[in-house]
Amino acid sequence: MTVSNETGLSHEQITVAATAVGVTMPVGRTPVRATMTLETAQIRFTYHGTAPSAAVGHLMDVGDAITLEGAVNITNFRAIRSGSTSGVLSVTLETL
């Protein structure tokens, strides 16, 4: 993992279950980057504004990490579990 020049803004753990969920956006400051790692179980995600399903979207396996750049991509991010077990995403938002 590379830590950038941006400043950590917030951290949350999201339980990704049978209904698509997104990131909690902080009030007052706009994040420019989100770093996410997956624990517990496989999920699918999108970041273009349409919700994923258990069979449609980018597949993310336990231990994988993704970085989203830009407030629009972070706002549009949605994830759903791909099987019967919920995943847990650790999310850190950064700002300039």
Coordinates of all heavy atoms in Angstrom, one line a residue:
M1 N 0.8 -1.2 0.0 CA 0.0 0.0 0.0 C 0.9 1.2 0.0 O 1.9 1.3 0.7 CB -0.9 0.0 1.2 CG -1.7 1.2 1.4 SD -2.6 1.2 3.0 CE -4.2 1.3 2.3
T2 N 0.5 2.2 -0.8 CA 1.2 3.5 -0.8 C 0.4 4.5 -0.2 O -0.8 4.7 -0.4 CB 1.4 3.9 -2.3 OG1 2.2 2.9 -3.0 CG2 2.1 5.2 -2.4
V3 N 0.9 5.3 0.8 CA 0.2 6.4 1.4 C 0.6 7.6 0.6 O 1.8 7.9 0.4 CB 0.6 6.5 2.9 CG1 0.0 7.7 3.5 CG2 0.3 5.2 3.6
S4 N -0.4 8.4 0.2 CA -0.2 9.5 -0.7 C 0.0 10.8 0.1 O 0.0 10.8 1.3 CB -1.4 9.6 -1.6 OG -2.5 9.9 -0.9
N5 N 0.0 11.9 -0.6 CA 0.1 13.2 0.0 C -1.2 13.7 0.6 O -1.3 14.7 1.2 CB 0.7 14.3 -0.9 CG 2.1 14.0 -1.2 OD1 2.9 13.5 -0.4 ND2 2.6 14.4 -2.4
E6 N -2.3 13.0 0.2 CA -3.6 13.4 0.7 C -3.7 13.1 2.2 O -2.9 12.4 2.8 CB -4.7 12.7 0.0 CG -5.0 13.2 -1.4 CD -4.0 12.9 -2.4 OE1 -3.3 11.9 -2.3 OE2 -3.9 13.6 -3.4
T7 N -4.7 13.7 2.9 CA -4.9 13.6 4.3 C -6.0 12.6 4.6 O -7.1 12.8 4.0 CB -5.2 15.0 4.9 OG1 -4.1 15.9 4.6 CG2 -5.4 14.9 6.4
G8 N -5.8 11.7 5.5 CA -6.9 10.8 5.9 C -8.0 11.6 6.4 O -7.9 12.5 7.3
L9 N -9.2 11.3 5.9 CA -10.4 12.1 6.3 C -11.3 11.3 7.2 O -11.8 11.8 8.2 CB -11.2 12.5 5.0 CG -12.4 13.3 5.1 CD1 -12.2 14.6 5.8 CD2 -13.0 13.5 3.7
S10 N -11.6 10.0 6.9 CA -12.4 9.2 7.7 C -12.2 7.7 7.4 O -11.6 7.4 6.4 CB -13.9 9.5 7.4 OG -14.3 9.2 6.1
H11 N -12.6 6.9 8.3 CA -12.5 5.5 8.1 C -13.8 4.8 8.6 O -14.4 5.3 9.6 CB -11.3 4.9 9.0 CG -11.3 3.4 8.9 ND1 -10.7 2.8 7.8 CD2 -11.7 2.4 9.7 CE1 -10.8 1.5 8.0 NE2 -11.4 1.2 9.1
E12 N -14.2 3.8 7.9 CA -15.4 3.0 8.3 C -15.3 1.6 7.8 O -14.5 1.3 6.9 CB -16.7 3.7 7.7 CG -16.9 3.5 6.2 CD -18.2 4.0 5.8 OE1 -19.3 3.8 6.4 OE2 -18.3 4.7 4.7
Q13 N -16.0 0.7 8.5 CA -16.1 -0.6 8.0 C -17.6 -0.8 7.6 O -18.5 -0.5 8.4 CB -15.7 -1.6 9.1 CG -14.2 -1.6 9.3 CD -13.8 -2.9 10.1 OE1 -14.1 -3.0 11.3 NE2 -13.1 -3.7 9.4
I14 N -17.7 -1.3 6.4 CA -19.1 -1.5 5.8 C -19.4 -3.0 5.7 O -18.6 -3.7 5.1 CB -19.1 -0.8 4.4 CG1 -18.8 0.6 4.4 CG2 -20.5 -1.1 3.7 CD1 -18.6 1.3 3.1
T15 N -20.5 -3.4 6.2 CA -20.9 -4.8 6.0 C -21.7 -4.8 4.7 O -22.6 -4.1 4.5 CB -21.9 -5.2 7.1 OG1 -21.1 -5.2 8.4 CG2 -22.3 -6.7 6.9
V16 N -21.2 -5.6 3.8 CA -21.7 -5.8 2.4 C -22.6 -7.0 2.4 O -22.1 -8.1 2.4 CB -20.6 -5.8 1.4 CG1 -21.3 -5.9 0.0 CG2 -19.7 -4.6 1.5
A17 N -23.9 -6.8 2.4 CA -24.9 -7.9 2.5 C -25.7 -8.0 1.2 O -25.2 -7.7 0.2 CB -25.8 -7.6 3.7
A18 N -26.9 -8.5 1.3 CA -27.8 -8.8 0.2 C -28.4 -7.6 -0.5 O -28.9 -7.7 -1.6 CB -28.9 -9.8 0.6
T19 N -28.2 -6.4 0.0 CA -28.7 -5.2 -0.6 C -27.5 -4.3 -0.8 O -26.6 -4.1 0.0 CB -29.7 -4.4 0.4 OG1 -30.8 -5.3 0.7 CG2 -30.2 -3.2 -0.3
A20 N -27.4 -3.7 -2.1 CA -26.2 -2.9 -2.4 C -26.1 -1.7 -1.5 O -27.1 -1.1 -1.1 CB -26.4 -2.4 -3.9
V21 N -24.9 -1.5 -1.0 CA -24.5 -0.3 -0.1 C -23.4 0.5 -0.7 O -22.6 0.0 -1.5 CB -24.2 -0.8 1.3 CG1 -25.3 -1.5 1.9 CG2 -23.0 -1.8 1.2
G22 N -23.3 1.7 -0.2 CA -22.2 2.6 -0.6 C -21.4 3.1 0.6 O -21.6 2.6 1.7
V23 N -20.6 4.0 0.3 CA -19.7 4.6 1.3 C -20.4 5.8 1.9 O -21.1 6.6 1.3 CB -18.4 5.1 0.6 CG1 -17.5 5.9 1.6 CG2 -17.6 4.0 0.0
T24 N -20.2 6.0 3.2 CA -20.8 7.2 3.9 C -19.9 8.4 3.6 O -18.7 8.4 4.0 CB -20.8 6.9 5.5 OG1 -21.5 5.7 5.7 CG2 -21.4 8.1 6.2
M25 N -20.5 9.3 2.9 CA -19.7 10.5 2.6 C -19.7 11.5 3.7 O -20.8 11.8 4.3 CB -20.4 11.2 1.3 CG -20.3 10.3 0.1 SD -18.6 9.9 -0.4 CE -18.2 11.4 -1.3
P26 N -18.5 12.1 4.1 CA -18.4 13.0 5.2 C -19.1 14.3 4.9 O -19.1 14.7 3.7 CB -16.9 13.1 5.4 CG -16.3 12.8 4.1 CD -17.2 11.8 3.5
V27 N -19.5 15.0 5.9 CA -20.1 16.4 5.7 C -19.0 17.4 5.8 O -18.2 17.4 6.7 CB -21.2 16.6 6.8 CG1 -21.8 18.0 6.7 CG2 -22.3 15.6 6.7
G28 N -19.0 18.4 4.9 CA -18.1 19.5 4.9 C -16.8 19.4 4.2 O -16.2 20.4 3.8
R29 N -16.4 18.2 3.9 CA -15.1 18.0 3.1 C -15.4 16.9 2.0 O -16.0 15.9 2.3 CB -14.0 17.6 4.0 CG -13.6 18.8 4.9 CD -12.5 18.5 5.8 NE -11.3 18.5 5.1 CZ -10.1 18.1 5.7 NH1 -10.1 17.7 6.9 NH2 -9.0 18.1 5.0
T30 N -14.8 17.2 0.8 CA -15.1 16.2 -0.2 C -13.9 15.3 -0.4 O -12.7 15.8 -0.6 CB -15.3 17.0 -1.6 OG1 -16.4 17.9 -1.4 CG2 -15.5 16.0 -2.7
P31 N -14.1 14.0 -0.3 CA -12.9 13.1 -0.5 C -12.5 13.0 -1.9 O -13.3 13.2 -2.9 CB -13.5 11.7 0.0 CG -15.0 11.8 -0.2 CD -15.3 13.3 0.0
V32 N -11.2 12.8 -2.1 CA -10.6 12.7 -3.5 C -10.2 11.3 -3.8 O -9.9 10.9 -4.9 CB -9.5 13.7 -3.7 CG1 -9.9 15.1 -3.6 CG2 -8.3 13.4 -2.8
R33 N -10.0 10.5 -2.7 CA -9.6 9.1 -2.9 C -10.2 8.2 -1.8 O -10.3 8.7 -0.7 CB -8.0 9.0 -2.8 CG -7.5 7.6 -2.9 CD -6.0 7.6 -2.9 NE -5.5 8.2 -4.1 CZ -4.6 9.2 -4.2 NH1 -4.1 9.7 -3.1 NH2 -4.2 9.7 -5.3
A34 N -10.5 7.0 -2.2 CA -11.0 6.0 -1.2 C -10.2 4.7 -1.4 O -10.0 4.2 -2.5 CB -12.5 5.7 -1.5
T35 N -9.6 4.2 -0.3 CA -8.9 3.0 -0.4 C -9.7 2.0 0.4 O -10.1 2.2 1.5 CB -7.5 3.2 0.3 OG1 -6.8 4.2 -0.4 CG2 -6.7 1.9 0.3
M36 N -9.9 0.8 -0.2 CA -10.8 -0.2 0.3 C -10.1 -1.6 0.3 O -9.5 -1.9 -0.7 CB -12.1 -0.3 -0.5 CG -12.8 1.0 -0.6 SD -14.3 0.8 -1.6 CE -14.8 2.5 -1.8
T37 N -10.2 -2.3 1.4 CA -9.8 -3.7 1.5 C -11.0 -4.6 1.9 O -11.8 -4.1 2.7 CB -8.6 -3.9 2.4 OG1 -8.9 -3.4 3.7 CG2 -7.4 -3.2 1.9
L38 N -11.0 -5.8 1.4 CA -12.1 -6.7 1.7 C -11.7 -7.8 2.6 O -10.7 -8.4 2.5 CB -12.6 -7.3 0.4 CG -13.8 -8.2 0.5 CD1 -15.0 -7.5 1.1 CD2 -14.1 -8.9 -0.8
E39 N -12.6 -8.0 3.6 CA -12.4 -9.1 4.6 C -13.7 -10.0 4.5 O -14.8 -9.5 4.1 CB -12.3 -8.5 6.0 CG -11.2 -7.5 6.1 CD -11.2 -6.8 7.4 OE1 -12.0 -7.1 8.3 OE2 -10.5 -5.7 7.5
T40 N -13.6 -11.2 5.0 CA -14.7 -12.1 5.3 C -15.3 -12.8 4.1 O -15.3 -14.1 4.1 CB -15.9 -11.4 6.0 OG1 -15.4 -10.5 7.0 CG2 -16.9 -12.3 6.5
A41 N -15.8 -12.2 3.0 CA -16.4 -12.9 1.9 C -16.4 -12.1 0.6 O -16.3 -10.8 0.7 CB -17.8 -13.2 2.2
Q42 N -16.5 -12.8 -0.5 CA -16.4 -12.2 -1.8 C -17.6 -11.2 -2.1 O -18.7 -11.5 -1.6 CB -16.4 -13.3 -2.9 CG -16.2 -12.9 -4.3 CD -16.2 -14.2 -5.2 OE1 -17.3 -14.8 -5.3 NE2 -15.1 -14.5 -5.7
I43 N -17.4 -10.1 -2.8 CA -18.4 -9.2 -3.2 C -18.3 -8.8 -4.6 O -17.3 -9.1 -5.3 CB -18.4 -7.9 -2.3 CG1 -17.1 -7.1 -2.6 CG2 -18.5 -8.2 -0.8 CD1 -17.0 -5.7 -2.0
R44 N -19.3 -8.1 -5.1 CA -19.3 -7.4 -6.4 C -19.5 -5.9 -6.2 O -20.2 -5.5 -5.3 CB -20.3 -8.0 -7.4 CG -20.0 -9.4 -7.8 CD -20.8 -9.9 -9.0 NE -20.5 -11.2 -9.4 CZ -19.6 -11.5 -10.3 NH1 -18.9 -10.5 -11.0 NH2 -19.3 -12.7 -10.7
F45 N -18.9 -5.1 -7.1 CA -19.1 -3.7 -6.9 C -19.1 -3.0 -8.3 O -18.7 -3.5 -9.3 CB -17.9 -3.1 -6.1 CG -16.6 -3.0 -6.8 CD1 -16.2 -2.0 -7.5 CD2 -15.7 -4.1 -6.6 CE1 -14.9 -1.9 -8.1 CE2 -14.5 -4.1 -7.2 CZ -14.1 -3.0 -8.0
T46 N -19.7 -1.8 -8.3 CA -19.7 -0.9 -9.4 C -19.4 0.5 -8.9 O -19.5 0.8 -7.7 CB -21.1 -0.8 -10.1 OG1 -22.1 -0.4 -9.2 CG2 -21.5 -2.2 -10.7
Y47 N -19.0 1.4 -9.8 CA -18.8 2.8 -9.4 C -19.2 3.8 -10.5 O -18.7 4.9 -10.6 CB -17.3 3.0 -9.0 CG -16.3 2.7 -10.0 CD1 -15.8 3.7 -10.9 CD2 -15.8 1.4 -10.1 CE1 -14.8 3.3 -11.8 CE2 -14.9 1.1 -11.1 CZ -14.4 2.0 -11.9 OH -13.4 1.7 -12.9
H48 N -20.2 3.4 -11.2 CA -20.8 4.2 -12.3 C -22.2 4.7 -12.1 O -22.8 5.3 -12.9 CB -20.7 3.5 -13.7 CG -21.3 2.2 -13.7 ND1 -22.7 2.0 -13.7 CD2 -20.8 1.0 -13.8 CE1 -22.9 0.8 -13.7 NE2 -21.8 0.1 -13.8
G49 N -22.8 4.4 -10.9 CA -24.1 4.8 -10.6 C -25.2 3.8 -10.6 O -26.3 4.0 -10.2
T50 N -24.9 2.6 -11.2 CA -25.9 1.5 -11.3 C -25.5 0.5 -10.2 O -24.3 0.1 -10.1 CB -25.9 0.9 -12.7 OG1 -26.3 1.9 -13.6 CG2 -26.9 -0.2 -12.7
A51 N -26.5 0.0 -9.5 CA -26.2 -1.0 -8.4 C -25.8 -2.3 -9.0 O -26.3 -2.8 -10.0 CB -27.4 -1.2 -7.6
P52 N -24.8 -3.0 -8.4 CA -24.4 -4.4 -8.8 C -25.5 -5.4 -8.4 O -26.3 -5.0 -7.6 CB -23.1 -4.6 -8.1 CG -23.2 -3.8 -6.9 CD -24.0 -2.6 -7.2
S53 N -25.3 -6.6 -8.8 CA -26.1 -7.7 -8.3 C -25.1 -8.8 -7.9 O -23.9 -8.7 -8.1 CB -27.1 -8.2 -9.4 OG -26.4 -8.9 -10.4
A54 N -25.7 -9.9 -7.3 CA -24.8 -11.0 -6.9 C -24.0 -11.6 -8.1 O -23.0 -12.3 -7.9 CB -25.6 -12.0 -6.2
A55 N -24.5 -11.3 -9.3 CA -23.9 -11.9 -10.5 C -23.3 -10.9 -11.5 O -22.6 -11.2 -12.4 CB -24.9 -12.8 -11.3
V56 N -23.5 -9.6 -11.2 CA -23.1 -8.5 -12.1 C -22.3 -7.5 -11.4 O -22.7 -7.0 -10.3 CB -24.3 -7.9 -12.9 CG1 -23.8 -6.7 -13.7 CG2 -25.0 -8.9 -13.7
G57 N -21.1 -7.1 -11.9 CA -20.3 -6.1 -11.3 C -18.9 -6.6 -11.2 O -18.6 -7.8 -11.5
H58 N -17.9 -5.8 -10.8 CA -16.5 -6.2 -10.6 C -16.5 -7.1 -9.4 O -17.0 -6.8 -8.4 CB -15.6 -5.0 -10.4 CG -15.6 -4.1 -11.5 ND1 -14.8 -4.3 -12.7 CD2 -16.2 -2.9 -11.8 CE1 -15.0 -3.3 -13.5 NE2 -15.8 -2.4 -13.0
L59 N -15.8 -8.2 -9.6 CA -15.6 -9.2 -8.5 C -14.5 -8.9 -7.6 O -13.4 -8.5 -8.1 CB -15.4 -10.6 -9.1 CG -15.6 -11.8 -8.2 CD1 -17.0 -11.9 -7.6 CD2 -15.3 -13.1 -9.0
M60 N -14.6 -8.9 -6.3 CA -13.6 -8.6 -5.4 C -13.5 -9.8 -4.4 O -14.5 -10.2 -3.8 CB -13.9 -7.3 -4.6 CG -12.8 -6.8 -3.8 SD -13.2 -5.1 -3.2 CE -11.7 -4.7 -2.4
D61 N -12.3 -10.3 -4.3 CA -12.1 -11.5 -3.4 C -11.5 -11.0 -2.0 O -10.9 -9.9 -2.0 CB -11.1 -12.5 -4.0 CG -11.7 -13.2 -5.1 OD1 -12.8 -13.7 -5.0 OD2 -11.1 -13.4 -6.2
V62 N -11.6 -11.8 -1.0 CA -11.1 -11.5 0.3 C -9.6 -11.2 0.2 O -8.9 -12.0 -0.5 CB -11.3 -12.7 1.3 CG1 -10.6 -12.4 2.6 CG2 -12.8 -12.8 1.5
G63 N -9.1 -10.1 0.8 CA -7.7 -9.7 0.7 C -7.4 -8.7 -0.4 O -6.4 -8.1 -0.4
D64 N -8.4 -8.6 -1.4 CA -8.2 -7.6 -2.5 C -8.3 -6.2 -1.9 O -9.0 -5.9 -1.0 CB -9.2 -7.8 -3.6 CG -8.9 -9.0 -4.4 OD1 -7.9 -9.7 -4.3 OD2 -9.8 -9.3 -5.3
A65 N -7.6 -5.3 -2.6 CA -7.7 -3.8 -2.3 C -8.0 -3.1 -3.6 O -7.5 -3.4 -4.6 CB -6.4 -3.4 -1.6
I66 N -8.8 -2.0 -3.5 CA -9.0 -1.1 -4.6 C -8.9 0.3 -4.1 O -9.0 0.6 -2.9 CB -10.4 -1.3 -5.2 CG1 -11.5 -1.0 -4.2 CG2 -10.6 -2.7 -5.8 CD1 -12.9 -0.9 -4.9
T67 N -8.5 1.2 -5.1 CA -8.5 2.6 -4.8 C -9.3 3.3 -5.8 O -9.2 3.1 -7.0 CB -7.0 3.1 -4.9 OG1 -6.2 2.4 -3.9 CG2 -7.0 4.6 -4.6
L68 N -10.3 4.1 -5.3 CA -11.1 4.9 -6.2 C -10.6 6.3 -6.2 O -10.4 6.9 -5.1 CB -12.6 4.9 -5.8 CG -13.3 3.5 -5.9 CD1 -14.7 3.7 -5.3 CD2 -13.3 3.1 -7.3
E69 N -10.5 7.0 -7.3 CA -10.1 8.4 -7.4 C -11.3 9.2 -7.8 O -12.0 8.8 -8.8 CB -9.0 8.5 -8.5 CG -7.7 7.7 -8.2 CD -6.7 8.4 -7.4 OE1 -6.7 9.7 -7.4 OE2 -5.8 7.8 -6.9
G70 N -11.5 10.3 -7.2 CA -12.5 11.3 -7.5 C -13.8 11.1 -6.7 O -14.3 10.0 -6.5
A71 N -14.4 12.2 -6.4 CA -15.6 12.3 -5.5 C -16.8 11.6 -6.2 O -17.6 10.9 -5.6 CB -15.9 13.7 -5.1
V72 N -16.9 11.7 -7.5 CA -18.0 11.1 -8.2 C -17.9 9.6 -8.2 O -18.9 8.9 -7.9 CB -18.1 11.6 -9.7 CG1 -19.1 10.9 -10.5 CG2 -18.4 13.1 -9.7
N73 N -16.8 9.1 -8.4 CA -16.6 7.6 -8.4 C -16.9 7.1 -6.9 O -17.5 6.0 -6.8 CB -15.2 7.2 -8.8 CG -15.0 7.4 -10.3 OD1 -16.0 7.3 -11.1 ND2 -13.8 7.6 -10.7
I74 N -16.4 7.8 -5.9 CA -16.6 7.4 -4.6 C -18.1 7.5 -4.2 O -18.7 6.5 -3.6 CB -15.8 8.3 -3.6 CG1 -14.3 8.1 -3.9 CG2 -16.1 7.9 -2.1 CD1 -13.4 9.1 -3.2
T75 N -18.8 8.5 -4.6 CA -20.2 8.7 -4.4 C -21.0 7.6 -5.1 O -22.0 7.1 -4.5 CB -20.7 10.1 -4.8 OG1 -20.0 11.1 -4.1 CG2 -22.2 10.3 -4.6
N76 N -20.6 7.2 -6.3 CA -21.4 6.2 -7.1 C -21.0 4.8 -6.7 O -21.7 3.9 -7.2 CB -21.1 6.4 -8.6 CG -21.8 7.7 -9.1 OD1 -22.7 8.2 -8.5 ND2 -21.3 8.2 -10.2
F77 N -20.0 4.6 -5.9 CA -19.6 3.2 -5.5 C -20.8 2.5 -4.8 O -21.4 3.0 -3.9 CB -18.4 3.3 -4.6 CG -18.0 1.9 -4.1 CD1 -17.2 1.1 -4.8 CD2 -18.5 1.4 -2.8 CE1 -16.8 -0.2 -4.3 CE2 -18.1 0.2 -2.3 CZ -17.3 -0.6 -3.1
R78 N -21.0 1.2 -5.2 CA -22.0 0.4 -4.6 C -21.5 -1.0 -4.6 O -20.8 -1.5 -5.5 CB -23.4 0.3 -5.4 CG -24.1 1.7 -5.4 CD -24.7 2.0 -4.1 NE -25.4 3.3 -4.1 CZ -24.8 4.5 -3.9 NH1 -23.5 4.6 -3.7 NH2 -25.5 5.6 -4.0
A79 N -21.7 -1.8 -3.5 CA -21.2 -3.2 -3.4 C -22.4 -4.0 -2.8 O -23.2 -3.6 -2.1 CB -20.0 -3.2 -2.4
I80 N -22.3 -5.3 -3.2 CA -23.2 -6.3 -2.7 C -22.5 -7.6 -2.6 O -21.5 -7.9 -3.3 CB -24.4 -6.4 -3.7 CG1 -25.6 -7.2 -3.1 CG2 -24.0 -7.0 -5.1 CD1 -26.9 -7.1 -4.0
R81 N -22.9 -8.5 -1.7 CA -22.2 -9.8 -1.6 C -22.6 -10.7 -2.8 O -23.7 -10.5 -3.4 CB -22.6 -10.5 -0.2 CG -24.1 -10.9 -0.2 CD -24.4 -11.5 1.2 NE -25.7 -12.1 1.2 CZ -26.4 -12.3 2.3 NH1 -25.8 -11.9 3.5 NH2 -27.6 -12.8 2.3
S82 N -21.7 -11.6 -3.1 CA -21.9 -12.4 -4.3 C -22.4 -13.8 -3.9 O -22.8 -14.6 -4.7 CB -20.6 -12.5 -5.1 OG -19.6 -13.2 -4.4
G83 N -22.3 -14.1 -2.6 CA -22.8 -15.4 -2.1 C -23.7 -15.2 -0.9 O -24.3 -14.2 -0.8
S84 N -23.7 -16.2 0.0 CA -24.6 -16.2 1.1 C -24.0 -15.5 2.4 O -24.6 -15.3 3.4 CB -25.1 -17.6 1.5 OG -24.0 -18.4 1.8
T85 N -22.7 -15.2 2.3 CA -22.0 -14.6 3.4 C -21.6 -13.2 3.1 O -21.2 -12.9 2.0 CB -20.6 -15.4 3.7 OG1 -21.0 -16.8 4.0 CG2 -19.9 -14.8 4.9
S86 N -21.9 -12.3 4.1 CA -21.6 -10.9 3.9 C -20.1 -10.6 4.0 O -19.4 -11.2 4.8 CB -22.3 -10.0 5.0 OG -23.7 -10.2 4.8
G87 N -19.7 -9.7 3.2 CA -18.3 -9.2 3.2 C -18.2 -8.0 4.1 O -19.2 -7.3 4.4
V88 N -17.0 -7.7 4.5 CA -16.7 -6.4 5.3 C -15.6 -5.7 4.5 O -14.5 -6.2 4.3 CB -16.3 -6.7 6.7 CG1 -15.9 -5.5 7.5 CG2 -17.3 -7.5 7.5
L89 N -16.0 -4.4 4.2 CA -15.0 -3.5 3.5 C -14.5 -2.5 4.5 O -15.2 -1.9 5.2 CB -15.7 -2.7 2.4 CG -15.8 -3.3 1.0 CD1 -16.6 -2.3 0.1 CD2 -14.4 -3.5 0.4
S90 N -13.1 -2.4 4.6 CA -12.5 -1.4 5.4 C -12.2 -0.2 4.4 O -11.6 -0.4 3.4 CB -11.2 -1.8 6.0 OG -11.5 -2.7 7.1
V91 N -12.8 0.9 4.7 CA -12.7 2.1 3.8 C -12.0 3.3 4.5 O -12.4 3.7 5.5 CB -14.1 2.5 3.3 CG1 -14.0 3.7 2.3 CG2 -14.8 1.3 2.7
T92 N -11.0 3.8 3.8 CA -10.4 5.1 4.3 C -10.6 6.1 3.2 O -10.2 5.9 2.0 CB -8.9 4.9 4.6 OG1 -8.8 4.0 5.7 CG2 -8.3 6.2 5.0
L93 N -11.2 7.2 3.5 CA -11.4 8.4 2.6 C -10.3 9.4 2.8 O -9.8 9.6 4.0 CB -12.7 9.0 2.8 CG -13.9 8.1 2.6 CD1 -15.2 8.9 2.8 CD2 -13.9 7.6 1.1
E94 N -9.8 10.0 1.8 CA -8.7 11.0 1.8 C -9.2 12.3 1.1 O -9.9 12.2 0.2 CB -7.4 10.5 1.1 CG -6.9 9.2 1.8 CD -5.7 8.7 0.9 OE1 -4.9 9.4 0.5 OE2 -5.8 7.5 0.6
T95 N -8.6 13.4 1.6 CA -8.9 14.7 1.0 C -7.6 15.4 0.8 O -6.5 15.0 1.3 CB -9.8 15.5 1.9 OG1 -10.2 16.7 1.1 CG2 -9.2 15.9 3.2
L96 N -7.6 16.5 0.0 CA -6.4 17.3 -0.2 C -6.1 18.1 1.0 O -6.9 18.5 1.8 CB -6.5 18.2 -1.4 CG -6.7 17.4 -2.8 CD1 -7.0 18.4 -3.9 CD2 -5.4 16.7 -3.1

